[in-house]
Amino acid sequence: MSTSGALPVVDLAPFFTQDDEAGGVARATEAVREACRTHGFFRAVNHGVPPELMARALELSAAFFALPDEEKAKPRQAEGSEAPLPAGYARQPAHSADKNEYLLVFDPKIGFNVYPAEPAGFREAVEECYAKFTELGLLVQEILNECMGLPQGFFRDFNGDRGFDFMAALRYFPATEEESNNGLSAHEDGNCITFVIQDGVGGLEVLKDGEWVPAEPVEGSIIVNIGDVIHVLSNGKLKSATHRVVRKPAHRHSFAFFFNIHGDKWIEPLPEFTAKIGDAPRYRGFVFNEYQQLRMRNKTHPPSRPEDVVHITHYAI
């Protein structure tokens, strides 16, 4: 593990080669473990997602968000959809502290997605990115399986349903003198693993030891962070870090892929991090979907007091 700017950098190349005589897999696994323990975030390089695909997707996403509002609003999901979240275009309401707009997609095989007619090639780039991020999610999940000392194949069995994964193409509005510079409020991700690719504008920041650390754009790299599910399963040993997006003078474009877990899953600290090592559970268990609904209510009906915003510390014992 090395550093670039402030975030740990992990080279995932050893996982894509057949020859590991030099011990690269073990070193990369240890680098992921240390990054998740100290930061909850790392920058992945040699991750298997073609840089030219990421660049093309960001360019086409910017072209979509530059369309007139009435054109952007056309890709919306029909009433009565069974999708876990509404697919298609949405914009944060005017009263929200977050100033961004996004297009949400699920696994194309499920059939929930709605796409804009323009720009040409946007759908193909999004679906290709989705497939590559899914592959990367399966790989990182296996790395975490090893990092956490779990039985071989534990996560494959525990989290084998990909129907709850989703990806968002996002545009953050430029900062203004009249509003706060808040693009996305400080939060922790509620899922398992998140991947972020971003343009050169910057603005993503991670809270580390009370200081906001910039996750600077580095071409071809992917920002990886773990969410509350991994945090709770590891009894807090691996960190779901607080992060935010600060608005800059220009529009910021990014993609965020959320490698998730089935809504019916019961989440609680695993025995490997409690009974087997003599530690008490730090969190009470919960049904994942119920937790997500509470977190979603934070956005749709923001509490008047910041301390009432639901996050994982509310489940601390």
Side-chain angles (χ1 to χ4, degrees), residues 144-189:
L144 290 174
N145 198 110
E146 180 68 19
C147 287
M148 296 167 69
L150 300 174
Q152 187 173 7
F154 172 84
F155 271 133
R156 281 199 305 271
D157 295 335
F158 183 74
N159 188 27
D161 187 335
R162 303 271 54 86
F164 283 72
D165 300 346
F166 61 93
M167 183 171 74
L170 294 121
R171 180 168 84 158
Y172 295 89
F173 301 116
T176 67
E177 294 182 359
E178 294 77 22
E179 298 175 318
S180 73
N181 65 350
N182 196 70
L184 186 61
S185 303
H187 67 287
E188 302 82 39
D189 288 350

Side-chain angles (χ1 to χ4, degrees), residues 28-34 36 142-150 238 273:
T29 300
E30 180 55 33
V32 171
R33 179 189 293 112
E34 183 65 10
C36 292
E142 288 303 302
I143 297 171
L144 290 174
N145 198 110
E146 180 68 19
C147 287
M148 296 167 69
L150 300 174
L238 303 185
F273 297 94

Side-chain angles (χ1 to χ4, degrees), residues 4 43 198-204 214-221 223 252:
S4 173
R43 185 187 307 281
Q198 54 185 328
D199 63 13
V201 173
L204 177 61
E216 298 289 0
V218 176
E219 188 175 354
S221 69
I223 302 297
R252 174 184 184 263

Side-chain angles (χ1 to χ4, degrees), residues 201-256:
V201 173
L204 177 61
E205 297 180 346
V206 181
L207 190 63
K208 174 72 166 63
D209 299 328
E211 300 288 336
W212 287 105
V213 175
E216 298 289 0
V218 176
E219 188 175 354
S221 69
I222 296 177
I223 302 297
V224 183
N225 67 280
I226 60 170
D228 291 343
V229 170
I230 301 296
H231 181 91
V232 171
L233 293 176
S234 70
N235 203 30
K237 298 294 191 298
L238 303 185
K239 184 179 181 181
S240 178
T242 303
H243 53 288
R244 68 184 183 184
V245 175
V246 176
R247 294 162 71 190
K248 300 293 185 178
H251 284 105
R252 174 184 184 263
H253 298 89
S254 67
F255 279 84

Side-chain angles (χ1 to χ4, degrees), residues 63-120:
F64 165 70
F65 286 116
L67 293 173
D69 287 347
E70 59 270 20
E71 288 299 315
K72 287 185 292 190
K74 288 180 179 178
R76 291 183 182 273
Q77 198 163 61
E79 292 291 333
S81 170
E82 296 181 355
L85 295 170
Y89 174 80
R91 183 173 181 153
Q92 298 292 353
H95 69 269
S96 173
D98 298 342
K99 303 301 179 184
N100 62 71
E101 56 185 341
Y102 56 92
L103 183 82
L104 192 69
V105 298
F106 292 89
D107 185 337
K109 295 190 293 290
I110 300 177
F112 291 146
N113 296 336
V114 286
Y115 293 98
E118 299 291 337

